[in-house]
Amino acid sequence: MLNRQSAFATFARRIARWQRKAGRHGMPWQGTRDPYRIWLSEIMLQQTQVATAAGYYQRFLQRFPNVNTLADASMDDVMRHWAGLGYYARARNLHQGARTVMARWHGEFPRDAATIAQLPGIGRSTAAAIAAFAFGAREPILDGNVKRILTRHFGIEGDPGRSAVTRCLWTLAEQTLAAAPANLDITAYTQGLMDLGATVCTRRRPRCDACPLKSSCYARLAARQEDFPARTARAARPERNCQMLILRCEDCVFLQRRPAAGIWGGLWCPPQYDDRAGLAAALDDWGTTLSDARQLPPFHHDFTHFRLHVEPWLATIADHRPAEPISAPNWIATTELRTTALPAPIKKLFAALFRDINPPAADSAEYS
Ligand code: SF4
């Protein structure tokens, strides 16, 4: 087993030095100490690739340049600027978090990681990263990239998803930081851990020759890089089905706002039904029938915990129900769909159906 004590002493220093020389620089969220901007970038990057997040980050900041404007915005406005990025709970938590910062701390972002971690959607590692980047706080981080580096470098067996292994990794993260020199550049170290995991110590085929830890890495010396971190046994992703009704009347389409909790929370969607009987009953309510509707090509969408198979149907009605006048907010003009907060696959579906809508950038998976 590797001599941990000697590895601790140089671990952080080597990563910080490597980051300055070979890490990622010039990303839109770097070079600022503004905790609001750093918070936004950390949340956006949680489940999104750097290249995708960059555009969203800049557009989001143009509309919500500070915590005050975000707190004052409507949920719908926030969702509109997040639509297509997926993982919509992040947007709801940001919005709620901005309101908390305004209400509890008069717009002053908290400086210490423990207080930052009280904001919704922020775990210990994200809070530590924000505190390090914004305020130079000397706090350890432990995201997926760091877990991979630590398990490989220190030869930690066991599934990092298990709490005992996670505790062990947090202890290592604390120890490596505690053993670092007092003048450690915490920004370079924190960014270095992220960069090393993203660009060198990658999940598949790590580039050990380019790694600043190669001389002390257990996995490399034992040629066991593929064994770490131990794979989490995953159950097969369950499958669900739904019928989706795209109902047109004049130049409008009927949409419903999804409940805040659950898939596509807070976004606008066509009504969904569990089966064709439910769809047929709904069409009957609207004064039309399944045989008058047009079946569109089916598609599926992957959420974190299940795959949703969607059978969309397009129905056109001449008269809206008196209970749902055309002026009701559920009837949205097709020309306004481009700026409506829609989930990415629905936006794509509408782009194929209606002009005036641009398809969004593809994203891999979404959840509540
Ligand atoms: S030497 Fe290889 S396996 Fe070890 S930390 Fe560096 S990139 Fe990862």
Side-chain angles (χ1 to χ4, degrees):
M1 174 60 78
L2 184 78
N3 178 344
R4 284 193 181 174
Q5 231 25 68
S6 69
F8 284 165
T10 55
F11 184 89
R13 188 163 45 77
R14 282 191 281 165
I15 290 179
R17 196 170 51 202
W18 172 85
Q19 201 285 327
R20 284 191 291 269
K21 236 173 53 192
R24 297 176 295 184
H25 299 272
M27 292 188 287
W29 40 82
Q30 289 179 315
T32 179
R33 289 277 185 185
D34 180 346
Y36 169 70
R37 288 169 176 250
I38 292 165
W39 172 38
L40 175 64
S41 68
E42 288 300 318
I43 300 300
M44 274 195 177
L45 289 167
Q46 275 173 356
Q47 278 105 356
T48 305
Q49 300 283 326
V50 164
T52 306
Y56 276 91
Y57 174 79
Q58 280 162 328
R59 284 191 295 277
F60 198 91
L61 277 180
Q62 273 168 13
R63 172 61 189 90
F64 311 110
N66 49 48
V67 72
N68 196 0
T69 43
L70 180 58
D72 277 351
S74 69
M75 192 60 194
D76 216 27
D77 201 4
V78 176
M79 282 300 178
R80 210 167 24 242
H81 286 79
W82 200 273
L85 202 50
Y87 296 94
Y88 296 99
R90 295 182 297 174
R92 291 195 295 275
N93 286 333
L94 269 172
H95 189 224
Q96 184 54 46
R99 292 186 167 183
T100 302
V101 171
M102 294 308 297
R104 203 185 291 176
W105 299 299
H106 311 291
E108 195 73 31
F109 209 88
R111 297 178 71 88
D112 67 289
T115 312
I116 294 171
Q118 292 173 17
L119 290 169
I122 297 190
R124 179 180 170 185
S125 185
T126 302
I130 296 168
F133 289 138
F135 306 113
R138 199 172 156 119
E139 295 280 351
I141 62 165
L142 188 68
D143 63 9
N145 282 334
V146 183
K147 285 180 182 173
R148 189 165 56 250
I149 294 167
L150 291 177
T151 54
R152 284 175 174 170
H153 184 262
F154 293 104
I156 306 300
E157 310 277 355
D159 177 357
R162 283 178 38 224
S163 53
V165 180
T166 303
R167 272 199 305 278
C168 166
L169 292 173
W170 269 116
T171 303
L172 274 176
E174 289 160 0
Q175 288 172 324
T176 47
L177 191 52
N183 65 352
L184 175 75
D185 178 346
I186 188 70
T187 302
Y189 173 56
T190 306
Q191 186 66 54
L193 281 168
M194 296 173 174
D195 293 355
L196 193 67
T199 65
V200 175
C201 193
T202 45
R203 204 149 55 88
R204 289 194 201 88
R205 287 187 295 201
R207 297 189 299 117
C208 298
D209 287 346
C211 180
L213 305 174
K214 63 184 174 192
S215 63
S216 56
C217 175
Y218 169 81
R220 176 181 166 273
L221 296 173
R224 292 188 57 203
Q225 291 96 323
E226 297 297 319
D227 293 344
F228 299 97
R231 305 251 186 294
T232 305
R234 282 180 188 268
R237 196 195 297 255
E239 315 240 338
R240 296 186 197 168
N241 299 291
C242 82
Q243 306 289 314
M244 183 173 278
L245 173 58
I246 294 131
L247 191 68
R248 285 198 74 172
C249 180
E250 300 175 12
D251 290 329
C252 294
V253 61
F254 184 79
L255 300 179
Q256 293 171 325
R257 187 150 190 188
R258 307 273 320 178
I263 62 167
W264 294 330
L267 298 181
W268 291 89
C269 277
Q272 293 169 36
Y273 306 94
D274 291 342
D275 50 32
R276 286 196 186 177
L279 172 69
L283 285 166
D284 189 46
D285 279 352
W286 288 103
T288 184
T289 64
L290 196 57
S291 54
D292 287 329
R294 175 155 68 96
Q295 188 167 15
L296 302 170
F299 64 92
H300 70 259
H301 187 71
D302 288 329
F303 293 92
T304 313
H305 302 299
F306 65 95
R307 169 169 285 189
L308 182 66
H309 295 274
V310 181
E311 278 190 30
W313 296 77
L314 177 65
T316 304
I317 53 172
D319 294 313
H320 47 81
R321 283 190 302 190
E324 296 284 358
I326 197 80
S327 58
N330 294 75
W331 285 106
I332 295 177
T334 54
T335 51
E336 287 173 16
L337 291 174
R338 196 169 59 85
T339 53
T340 301
L342 303 169
I346 304 303
K347 201 163 202 171
K348 207 165 162 184
L349 171 67
F350 285 172
L353 279 177
F354 310 120
R355 289 180 304 157
D356 313 317
I357 307 171
N358 296 319
D363 61 334
S364 52
E366 299 176 27
Y367 83 150
S368 60

